[in-house]
Amino acid sequence: MSESADLRVLIVEDQALLAMELELVLGETGCDVVGCAMDRAGALAIAEREPLDLALVDINLLDGMTGPDIARRLVDEFGSAVIFLTANPEQIPEGFAGALGAVSKPFDEATIQGAVTFARQFIRDRTVGEPPRRFRLAPWLAAAS
């Protein structure tokens, strides 16, 4: 991890090019990407060996709609913050499975940077800042603000 990196992030995305793009954007945003996974088994294996602060999790992966289960486990078992990535917002689970919010695909670099900045504030201070554009705030978090 570089000296300036302050968040350890896991990417759970089955589109390899998108995962690589996310890795570049996250690096520019001061994050250390600890791994990329394309399914539940890969995501949980990385989480077991690498401490995480944040995970960007696609809802619908190679092994089906396992994103919500992955998110729930990352939050409950590993204490990670989670942001969903999805091309199908109607698939976001009710209550968001412990995730902070969701970003709809397609998204741009500024959207991801804003989501990471929002998550960073929540992780550091446990405060809810202004949600960035194109970020759907989880109902449980909106009620806490």
Side-chain angles (χ1 to χ4, degrees):
M1 180 162 69
S2 72
E3 283 184 41
S4 62
D6 65 343
L7 286 181
R8 295 177 56 82
V9 182
L10 168 64
I11 299 169
V12 185
E13 170 59 62
D14 59 359
Q15 296 178 33
L17 289 175
L18 182 55
M20 289 175 16
E21 181 182 340
L22 285 167
E23 189 171 4
L24 288 172
V25 171
L26 291 169
E28 293 171 356
T29 309
C31 298
D32 179 25
V33 176
V34 299
C36 296
M38 299 180 109
D39 58 20
R40 177 184 0 212
L44 297 177
I46 293 169
E48 286 175 5
R49 72 173 185 264
E50 296 286 345
L52 302 176
D53 299 307
L54 176 65
L56 301 181
V57 179
D58 189 6
I59 290 178
N60 201 349
L61 297 162
L62 288 178
D63 55 356
M65 253 186 55
T66 58
D69 177 57
I70 294 167
R72 198 171 292 108
R73 293 196 54 198
L74 291 175
V75 170
D76 294 346
E77 296 175 28
F78 301 99
S80 175
V82 173
I83 294 173
F84 283 125
L85 307 173
T86 185
N88 302 299
E90 68 280 358
Q91 293 179 338
I92 298 169
E94 182 134 348
F96 282 65
L100 300 178
V103 174
S104 293
K105 297 177 184 177
F107 45 75
D108 58 16
E109 186 175 326
T111 300
I112 295 302
Q113 290 170 340
V116 168
T117 299
F118 177 85
R120 181 179 280 123
Q121 178 181 337
F122 181 81
I123 292 164
R124 281 186 183 159
D125 309 329
R126 291 294 183 218
T127 59
V128 180
E130 183 68 28
R133 69 181 181 84
R134 299 187 61 211
F135 182 80
R136 187 168 158 198
L137 189 64
W140 71 269
L141 196 55
S145 63

